[in-house]
């Protein structure tokens, strides 16, 4: 935006600045290159299925109301008793709805800042006009796809509709987040205004020294002097939120006990699929220092999100989703399956403890999860303070061989990215089912006991001859060519590349593939 402004104002000045801009761009590129490289790896692994473009309705619900720029913060200390609560802007029609208190939803720019901005525009138009344009531009973008006024959608389309059609920019799904640039631009305008007040103050001093001043001039001089002190303080008072809301912080003693347990293993934090609960409780990892399963992150590659969000993996994914109310209740057959594959799951994830937090679940959900942990997983409760319940999970031995059937729910546990599980399994000539690969790579994860070389056997076919490169824990160990016939393909997994913890085999196809390679089973012996 700034570059466009400079070009529009004085293209000769812009040309002179291009060398500096180029240096800044090169420095930014060098700093971001490592992050871009990691991101590119994910792009390759995901087969292009990475950037999500949300529908306009999603963005519409997360846009500012026009009045939100002028209605004080819902938690404001200064305006707490003022009649400025507006439903749909900074207040809710439901008493227990805290959404309007979310900092994201608070766009209030401050009356003092607005007054200073107007002063800057009036006295220093040349310095202020770019920041005025910036404030207006991003304020419009923050209003989202259509104009809302006092909680009512007018249906008038706004510039965000155009941004939603621009690749990369359309990944910004929440228009309210443009509001930070409005505050930034107004801060610059306020700075210009205060700079002008300082100049006026210095001029008053110069006039006072050079010749006798009238009583009125002395008054103006004193007012300016006081204003230079009071304006910043007044801005702070206007934006003050007192008492400042804090997240209550208590550490259940069981986390200290888990921290003292030897080894690096995994703790199952529950809730897992209630994202607010997952976000609030994952910080306990800083206390126990152990791995946690399915932590909350705000950005995650689609393949990883699919692993936890839609897979039929027993116990950890499918069953906890159901028990936490995300999916329909478990059927008796589901519970029987979970009981049958329990040891595989506990060994694969190295689960030793489960911690259940009541605060984020209903009493019915807590009761169901507690019963599931005891009856299905064989867990033993070791701590209960009324809010937090902790369980020790039974030890599970690591197998010395792995038999993975991708057509079964438990087979999906071993499969990382690059598999097409969200669709019904394909059928080959009406004889048997199989699973398609997807993207440029497919991953298989496994843990094994013992030492020595192992042999991996892959039952697969390809619609046309397809070369597949195989790597084990990042080391290239060979390749084979799949043919248009179902058969077993074998490759040795050398002991030097195997780890005693989690291992990953990657099948690299060299290009993006969709429904051209089918797989049924993978065994490692």
């Amino acid at each position: 935006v700034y570059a466009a402004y400079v070009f529009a104002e004085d293209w000769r000045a812009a040309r002179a600045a291009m060398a500096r801009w180029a240096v800044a761009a090169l420095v930014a590129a060098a700093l971001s290159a490592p992050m871009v490289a990691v991101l590119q790896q994910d792009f390759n692994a995901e087969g292009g299925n990475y950037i999500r473009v949300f529908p306009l309705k999603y963005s519409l619900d997360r846009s500012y109301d026009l009045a939100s720029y002028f209605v004080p913060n819902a938690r404001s200390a200064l305006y707490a008793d003022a009649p400025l609560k507006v439903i749909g802007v900074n207040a809710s029609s439901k008493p227990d709805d805290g959404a309007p208190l979310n900092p994201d939803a608070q766009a209030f720019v401050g009356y003092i800042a607005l007054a200073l901005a107007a002063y800057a525009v009036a006295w220093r138009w040349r310095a202020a006009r770019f920041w005025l344009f910036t404030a207006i531009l991003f304020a419009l973008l923050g209003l989202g796809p259509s104009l809302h006024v006092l909680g009512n959608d007018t249906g008038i389309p706004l510039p965000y509709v155009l941004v939603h059609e621009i690749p990369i920019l359309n990944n910004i799904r929440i228009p309210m987040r443009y509001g930070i640039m409005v505050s930034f631009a107004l801060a610059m305008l306020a700075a210009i205004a205060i700079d002008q007040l300082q100049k006026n103050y210095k001029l008053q001093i110069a006039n006072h020294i050079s010749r006798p001043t009238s009583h009125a001039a002395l008054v103006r001089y004193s007012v300016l002097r006081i204003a230079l002190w009071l304006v910043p303080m007044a801005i702070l008072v206007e934006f003050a939120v007192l008492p400042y809301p804090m997240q209550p912080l208590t550490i259940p003693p069981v986390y200290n006990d888990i921290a003292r347990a030897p080894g690096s293993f995994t703790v199952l934090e529950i809730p897992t699929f209630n994202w607010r609960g997952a976000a609030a409780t994952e910080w306990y990892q800083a206390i126990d220092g152990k791995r946690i399963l399915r932590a909350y992150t705000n950005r995650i590659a689609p393949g990883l999100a699919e692993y936890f969000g839609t897979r039929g993996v027993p116990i950890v994914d499918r069953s906890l989703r159901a028990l936490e109310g995300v999916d329909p209740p478990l059927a008796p057959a589901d519970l029987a399956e979970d009981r049958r594959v329990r040891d595989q799951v506990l060994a694969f994830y190295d689960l030793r403890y489960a911690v259940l937090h009541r605060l984020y679940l209903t009493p019915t959900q807590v009761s169901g999860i507690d019963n599931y942990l005891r009856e299905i997983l064989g867990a033993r409760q070791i701590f209960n303070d009324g809010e937090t319940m902790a369980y020790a999970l039974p030890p599970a031995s690591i197998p010395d061989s792995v038999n993975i059937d991708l057509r079964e729910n438990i087979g999906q546990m071993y499969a990382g990215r690059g598999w097409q599980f969200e669709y019904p399994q394909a059928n080959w000539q009406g004889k048997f089912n199989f699973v398609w690969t997807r993207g440029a790579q497919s991953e298989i994860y496994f843990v094994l006991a013992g030492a020595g070389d192992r042999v991996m056997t892959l039952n697969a076919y390809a619609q046309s001859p397809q070369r597949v490169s195989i790597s084990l824990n990042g080391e290239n160990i060979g390749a084979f060519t799949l043919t248009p016939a179902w058969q077993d393909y074998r490759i040795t997994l050398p002991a030097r590349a195997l780890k005693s913890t989690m291992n990953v085999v990657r099948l690299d196809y060299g290009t993006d593939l969709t429904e051209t390679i089918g797989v049924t089973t993978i065994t490692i012996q």
Side-chain angles (χ1 to χ4, degrees):
V1 171
Y2 178 68
Y5 168 79
V6 174
F7 270 103
E9 182 185 51
D10 185 350
W11 67 272
R12 290 186 179 85
R15 288 179 59 186
M18 287 184 71
R20 297 195 300 274
W21 293 353
V23 171
L26 288 172
V27 171
L31 292 174
S32 62
M35 293 179 284
V36 172
V38 172
L39 194 62
Q40 185 60 48
Q41 291 176 5
D42 269 357
F43 268 67
N44 293 338
E46 292 288 342
N49 178 31
Y50 202 95
I51 293 181
R52 296 176 64 190
V53 178
F54 285 73
L56 277 175
K57 176 63 169 66
Y58 183 95
S59 300
L60 188 68
D61 296 337
R62 291 157 180 81
S63 304
Y64 285 138
D65 188 290
L66 179 62
S68 63
Y69 290 114
F70 310 104
V71 175
N73 189 307
R75 295 184 185 271
S76 172
L78 180 63
Y79 301 107
D81 298 323
L84 292 171
K85 300 293 187 290
V86 181
I87 301 298
V89 180
N90 69 343
S92 173
S93 57
K94 301 177 182 178
D96 59 343
D97 184 6
L101 303 180
N102 189 324
D104 259 0
Q106 304 296 318
F108 180 52
V109 295
Y111 302 128
I112 297 172
L114 280 174
L116 288 170
Y119 183 84
V121 170
W123 282 80
R124 298 268 293 276
W125 167 247
R126 187 173 181 82
R129 59 187 179 183
F130 169 72
W131 298 110
L132 175 64
F133 170 73
T134 300
I136 293 172
L137 171 64
F138 284 99
L140 285 171
L141 291 174
L143 295 174
S146 65
L147 180 64
H148 286 70
V149 180
L150 297 176
N152 300 305
D153 186 357
T154 66
I156 300 172
L158 294 174
Y160 182 85
V161 174
L162 299 176
V163 174
H164 189 265
E165 301 304 317
I166 300 175
I168 305 299
L169 288 182
N170 57 9
N171 190 231
I172 302 174
R173 68 196 196 283
I174 300 180
M176 289 189 297
R177 291 175 181 168
Y178 283 111
I180 191 68
M181 291 302 297
V182 180
S183 298
F184 177 67
L186 287 175
M188 297 303 292
L189 288 170
I192 293 169
I194 290 176
D195 180 66
Q196 183 61 42
L197 288 171
Q198 288 176 327
K199 289 182 176 179
N200 292 345
Y201 171 65
K202 291 176 181 177
L203 182 60
Q204 292 290 336
I205 292 177
N207 290 337
H208 178 68
I209 293 174
S210 62
R211 62 181 184 275
T213 41
S214 66
H215 179 72
L218 286 173
V219 170
R220 288 196 303 271
Y221 161 71
S222 300
V223 168
L224 279 171
R225 183 178 183 182
I226 295 171
L228 288 173
W229 285 97
L230 292 183
V231 167
M233 296 301 297
I235 292 174
L236 291 175
V237 170
E238 189 171 36
F239 283 102
V241 174
L242 301 171
Y244 194 81
M246 300 291 287
Q247 177 79 15
L249 199 63
T250 58
I251 302 172
V254 69
Y255 283 102
N256 294 314
D257 298 335
I258 295 174
R260 288 191 289 269
S264 175
F265 50 82
T266 307
V267 176
L268 179 58
E269 288 283 359
I270 307 171
T272 288
F273 294 93
N274 175 319
W275 73 268
R276 292 187 184 277
T281 60
E282 66 186 6
W283 72 271
Y284 290 122
Q285 187 186 39
I287 307 301
D288 61 44
K290 310 301 183 184
R291 295 190 300 271
I292 53 179
L293 190 62
R294 209 283 181 181
Y296 169 77
T297 57
N298 205 31
R299 291 292 183 276
I300 187 168
L304 302 178
E306 172 207 316
Y307 186 94
F308 291 102
T310 61
R311 292 278 179 94
V313 180
I315 299 178
V316 177
D317 301 336
R318 178 198 68 191
S319 299
L320 278 180
R321 285 201 308 266
L323 290 164
E324 293 181 24
V326 178
D327 285 352
L330 297 170
D334 296 327
L335 296 174
E337 181 185 23
D338 285 6
R339 188 178 281 108
R340 185 178 68 252
V341 301
R342 179 195 70 182
D343 290 348
Q344 287 186 62
V345 174
L346 296 183
F348 180 80
Y349 295 113
D350 197 9
L351 288 170
R352 309 276 184 89
Y353 295 92
V355 184
L356 174 60
H357 301 272
R358 289 176 172 270
L359 180 62
Y360 306 97
L361 300 163
T362 67
T364 300
Q365 290 168 348
V366 170
S367 176
I369 294 171
D370 174 72
N371 184 69
Y372 179 88
L373 291 172
R374 295 174 187 267
E375 297 298 323
I376 305 300
L377 297 193
R380 173 176 55 88
Q381 191 175 95
I382 58 174
F383 177 83
N384 187 350
D385 66 359
E387 291 293 335
T388 303
M389 303 157 67
Y391 306 80
L393 298 171
S397 59
I398 298 175
D400 57 7
S401 64
V402 177
N403 299 297
I404 304 168
D405 190 332
L406 295 175
R407 299 165 296 184
E408 297 180 349
N409 284 330
I410 190 60
Q412 297 182 29
M413 177 178 72
Y414 300 93
R417 296 185 290 191
W419 303 96
Q420 191 166 294
F421 290 114
E422 68 269 34
Y423 306 115
Q425 292 163 351
N427 187 281
W428 186 75
Q429 298 182 2
K431 295 180 179 179
F432 59 84
N433 293 327
F434 63 91
V435 175
W436 291 113
T437 65
R438 181 181 63 194
Q441 295 178 344
S442 298
E443 301 171 338
I444 288 292
Y445 290 83
F446 63 94
V447 287
L448 279 178
D453 293 349
R454 301 301 177 98
V455 174
M456 182 180 79
T457 304
L458 180 81
N459 183 253
Y461 98 114
Q463 289 186 346
S464 59
Q466 175 67 51
R467 180 178 172 82
V468 181
S469 299
I470 312 296
S471 66
L472 172 61
N473 297 324
E475 179 181 331
N476 186 32
I477 59 171
F480 45 66
T481 299
L482 301 180
T483 63
W486 283 98
Q487 59 181 305
D488 288 341
Y489 298 85
R490 293 179 175 84
I491 190 167
T492 298
L493 306 182
R496 68 176 186 277
L498 285 167
K499 298 191 295 187
S500 59
T501 53
M502 189 68 76
N503 296 275
V504 57
V505 168
R506 284 195 175 89
L507 313 177
D508 194 322
Y509 314 120
T511 185
D512 240 3
L513 299 178
T514 302
E515 297 185 357
T516 59
I517 295 176
V519 181
T520 58
T521 59
I522 300 171
T523 61
I524 301 171
Q525 297 176 324

